[in-house]
Amino acid sequence: MWLGPEEVLVANALWVTERANPFFVLQRRRGHGKGGGLTGLLVGTLDVVLDSSARVAPYRILHQTQDSQVYWTVACGSSRKEITKHWEWLENNLLQTLSIFDNEEDITTFVKGKIHGIIAEENKNLQPQGDEDPGKFKEAELKMRKQFGMPEGEKLVNYYSCSFWKGRVPRQGWLYLTVNHLCFYSFLLGKEVSLVVQWVDVTRLEKNATLLFPESIRVDTRDQELFFSMFLNIGETFKLMEQLANLAMRQLLDSEGFLEDKALPRPIRPHKNISALKRDLDARAKNECYRATFRLPKDERLDGHTGCTLWTPFNKLHIPGQMFISNNYICFASKEEDACRLIIPLREVTIVEKADSSSVLPSPLSISTKSKMTFLFANLKDRDFLVQRISDFLQKTPSKQTGSSAGGAKASVSDPAPESLPTPQEASEPPTSPSSPLNSPPSFRTQEIPTTSQGLLKVFQKSSPMEDLGAKGAKEKMKEESWNIHFFEYGRGMCMYRTAKTRELVLKGIPESLRGELWLLFSGAWNEMVTHPGYYAELVEKSMGKYSLATEEIERDLHRSMPEHPAFQNELGIAALRRVLTAYAFRNPTIGYCQAMNIVTSVLLLYGSEEEAFWLLVALCERMLPDYYNTRVVGALVDQGIFEELTRDVLPRLSEKMQELGVISSISLSWFLTLFLSVMPFESAVVIVDCFFYEGIKVILQVALAVLDANMEQLLDCSDEGEAMTVLGRYLDNVVNKQSISPPIPHLHALLTSGDDPPAEVDIFDLLRVSYEKFSSLRADDIEQMRFKQRLKVIQSLEDSAKRSVVRAIPGDIGFSMEELEDLYMVFKAKHLASQYWGGNRSAAIHRDPSLPYLEQYRIDASQFRELFASLTPWACGSHTPVLAGRMFRLLDQNKDSLINFKEFVTGMSGMYHGDLTEKLKSLYKLHLPPALIPEEAESALEAAHYFTEDSSSEALLQEQQEGSGNEDTQERREEKGTSPPDYRHYLRMWAKEKEAQKETIKDLPKMNQEQFIELCKTLYNMFSEDPMEQDLYHAIATVASLLLRIGEVGKKFSALSTKKPKDGAHSGGHNSTTEEDEPPTPKLHQDPTQECQPPAAGDPQAKASGNMHIGRALQDSHVTVEGGSGEGQGSPSLLLSDDETKDDMSMSSYSVVSTGSLQCEDLTEDTVLVGGEACSPTTTPRMGGTVDTDWCISFEQILASILTESVLVNFFEKRVDIGLKIKDQKKVERQFSTSSDHEPPGVLG
């Protein structure tokens, strides 16, 4: 490739000059190519250890002028071919021009200009991100691809110098981190280490320091542990590895491949040694952290952040921290964690102005909002640029908010002082109805969509004045008053200053009247609700009356959602819950509906309108509890893993006991999934939900630890799991909220676990206080770190259980052992995933749908199957293998969707590896009949359909029916796919059908015509080409082919005789009787088949004579009437021949198709026609009815019987082949990733 010219001072050190002219020198790296000796070894080692780019380009071209000592690199190449192309271009295009110049400086300037021009021209054609990667980085990417055989699609993210510990010896080399792989290469004094690990195979990734491995990164897969150390920046490397492993886990979880972020701001000039992808991933990590910290919507992108101070009026201080700006928000976070946090939506901003600088307040910026709040930032480094960015974003912010809750005109920088600005409800008062008030109980089936416009608690709770509630009422009034004071001092709505005081108030319990409003604010759901007005109503309308698996599950669970609460004991509450859950399932079909969502949503509906409950559910499922409610509850399992890890750290004694009883996994899942709502009295659990919306998952983990800690002594005395669960169940039932003003709701769980001596009541506020005192050291970023570690573990164990499920679903008669099936599954899955990495051109159908049953999740297409078939088949056929693979694929793809699943794949493999000779031959036989053999491969396949007798036409009919049912299946499947997610009953029906399918007998196989038989012979000849018994096998197959051709000829004679009989004439084989209507008119046949074409001069006349004599005698002596050459039901085909013939083995074997052992694939060209055992060219005598004898046919039984006469063929097919070795080789290939091309090598077609 052309390089931007760079100076080289020492041109000959470590390089050998191969070509030279007055202006250019072509050099080769020492040690590359032949020989090299010790110098070569040393150079190779130096290249790897010191200079990552040296090994990528073993060839280079330098520009030089006669009197100058300075050389300039202009091109480099990884192969001689590439560098020669560049060299020739320079010679042809530049040499003549350069000789005109007088001044050497002009020559160099001209060359440099020309090379820059070529590079610019090349970059024009590249994809937009191509020109962002610096030259040095591109070289490293090229080296990585060449070294590890990676395709173009595999993008390098970054590379680092480090050591890989092989045993106790560190090997210094280069670690390449690509989107899908971790690769390492080292070359030290002749010792080479090359390593490729797929991110999807990583089960553990951690940074640790031991005596043996000082500050190292450990990478575990299922079968190896790898240690890397001696990094220059271990923190950055580990962070990047973590991100890439996380992306791979996401891919396993929901089949989302890595999509490059095209909306990133582009750098003004490429960063040295940082790829566009690395920037992309860094930006992604920052975005995720920013969104999680401030609970912002998923599409929010951080534009930048800067250090500053914020004036806080409530304590008259300038608090240092960071200001973050994104397309819709300005946020602030203090350095001190609890000091202050602020979120200002740009939709609220009215004025942004630069205030006057002073020594006390350098470069201040004031931002005013519609709610009459003004925020003063100071100490901003680049204030002018910042104001410009904010004004750009403000102009893009929609100027009008259509939702009633955010009424009023929108002001931006260009319109800083509107005359009248109605203050939106959000900022001044609790958010209320987003839609019309609720007049009458909704009837679910009417066209207009009713939505409850206030919390169900307000509708169903008898509103008694506070005074009547005594002490509880007074307490509630005090809480409300405290919050009102807080709102007055710290602001109300989205722009509230959030401080340690806010948390204190939340911990004391949010008053009932404010709960809905504060949940919306703290969760960030409010932002999404006001920016998507009318979205919920639209979803409800779309989802009404739609049926799917999710709606069925929702209906089933509606009456199980808080049945003890009066709000859900009538149709009003139930209908609201139905609408919210159905609307969410419609919005997010990947989650759809999961048990536990009903319990959480019913609580959300008590405190907010339907629309508010919907957006709170969105915040929960998509941001605050990621992956909790998917089909495999991965998120909850991950947090359960964190809980177990924390228990080990803070309660080590108890942890051992709990592991022994196996109790943590069974109890904690419901705690996490329902946020304690299903295990604690409602009025207590709701206080935990208050804290959860403010603090996140940290609170749930703290409370869970506090519950274990409080019951430690009793749990240590437990003898089994049941006892431990009873202890914890009874404890949680007695967690009470004495301050609740709601009438107590009986807790169903409590009724089940109440015993003789109820345990003492525990106040929920005491439990929360203890949890903060003892376990508040948890930090959000530590939790994220632990989540990553657990996610690897959880997803890999789920993948393992999926593998076991799939393997168990394979019928027992397949013949492979469990280990072999598991290995095959891993190879099959790797092939599917490879298509997702690099298969940009693959069909969309190949993308995995995690909602499908495990067996249907991973599927491969024809080109991938060809690659697997080539490496795993025991029937290697050289260049003919891809053709055979294509046929096998068509045979296995019964539903014609051009994809096969693992079960179909294993069935195909089993046919070649297991079963007796008959089964294996049957598999091979089927590969040479439709649908496996397609008309392009055998031109007479269409004709074959016309000449079959009734027996065969009934076969064809059967086939059509099967195909018809196959099409129905596909149609059914398409219909199923229309609903989302697909209906599992479809798969149950499909599997039931498979079980019903009766075992096929050899009688069921259709007959084979001459063209198909030629294809079968060709396959057999190719199959034997690499066998040690090659010659014997060729001899045997020639004999068998000769015999079968003659049998077919004899059968054809009988067929001809039978058609001449009168219509009502009965044949001796009654069940085979045919009428002329069933059969197309047969062309008039010559009496002597050998006269149909001129015999070759080299043919042995004696052999021909004996052949004719045999056929004649067969016609006279045979007492069996055969219809269409079929020996069906008539015993072995030797009955077709007289005793003399069966004795005359010599004449049979000498009667070979071509001289024995020489019938290679090439000999059977399209011009060759095989009739009566002779090879004849149709050019000599044109035949009626095309080049192939359409009346000739043969049955499977005849082929089987003929092959049984040759022991060498029998031995070949009965020989056992170990698939384990082939799988090992395939895994090596997968590791090397030498990808085979997508196009099929041209096979030799009959």
Side-chain angles (χ1 to χ4, degrees), residues 183-214:
C183 310
F184 177 82
Y185 182 79
S186 161
F187 178 86
L188 282 176
L189 301 176
K191 291 267 176 76
E192 193 177 44
V193 176
S194 181
L195 192 71
V196 177
V197 175
Q198 285 182 298
W199 289 118
V200 285
D201 289 337
V202 172
T203 55
R204 182 175 178 182
L205 180 65
E206 57 188 30
K207 190 166 61 173
N208 52 18
T210 60
L211 285 170
L212 185 60
F213 304 121

Side-chain angles (χ1 to χ4, degrees), residues 1070-1084:
H1071 65 287
N1072 273 357
S1073 63
T1074 324
T1075 62
E1076 286 185 23
E1077 288 164 18
D1078 294 331
E1079 196 175 303
T1082 315
K1084 187 170 180 290

Side-chain angles (χ1 to χ4, degrees), residues 1125-1143:
S1126 161
E1128 244 175 82
Q1130 308 295 341
S1132 89
S1134 57
L1135 290 176
L1136 298 174
L1137 304 167
S1138 66
D1139 291 345
D1140 295 346
E1141 280 185 86
T1142 41
K1143 284 176 202 158

Side-chain angles (χ1 to χ4, degrees), residues 665-738:
S665 51
S666 44
I667 52 161
S668 54
L669 201 59
S670 61
W671 297 2
F672 290 107
L673 277 171
T674 64
L675 308 174
F676 286 99
L677 286 163
S678 62
V679 292
M680 245 185 218
F682 164 71
E683 54 275 8
S684 308
V686 87
V687 178
I688 294 179
V689 178
D690 292 343
C691 301
F692 167 75
F693 277 124
Y694 189 76
E695 292 268 49
I697 195 65
K698 166 185 166 174
V699 175
I700 306 295
L701 290 164
Q702 283 177 192
V703 171
L705 288 168
V707 168
L708 288 190
D709 186 45
N711 290 282
M712 190 185 301
E713 296 310 319
Q714 282 171 280
L715 288 171
L716 288 171
D717 294 339
C718 288
S719 53
D720 61 30
E721 185 186 7
E723 198 180 337
M725 287 179 77
T726 308
V727 166
L728 289 166
R730 292 182 69 187
Y731 175 84
L732 289 166
D733 287 335
N734 286 278
V735 175
V736 294
N737 178 0
K738 293 174 180 167

Side-chain angles (χ1 to χ4, degrees), residues 922-982:
K922 202 200 288 181
S923 296
L924 195 59
Y925 183 83
K926 281 185 192 166
L927 292 181
H928 296 84
L929 293 171
L933 195 76
I934 49 175
E936 295 91 80
E937 290 186 346
E939 287 173 6
S940 67
L942 289 169
E943 294 172 29
H946 298 303
Y947 87 89
F948 276 148
T949 51
E950 184 192 323
D951 193 35
S952 316
S953 56
S954 65
E955 277 292 338
L957 190 69
L958 188 74
Q959 185 113 14
E960 266 173 48
Q961 284 169 354
Q962 283 171 352
E963 278 179 21
S965 68
N967 293 340
E968 280 165 32
D969 269 8
T970 8
Q971 200 174 344
E972 219 174 299
R973 179 174 296 192
R974 282 190 200 121
E975 283 166 21
E976 293 295 351
K977 281 187 178 170
T979 66
S980 98

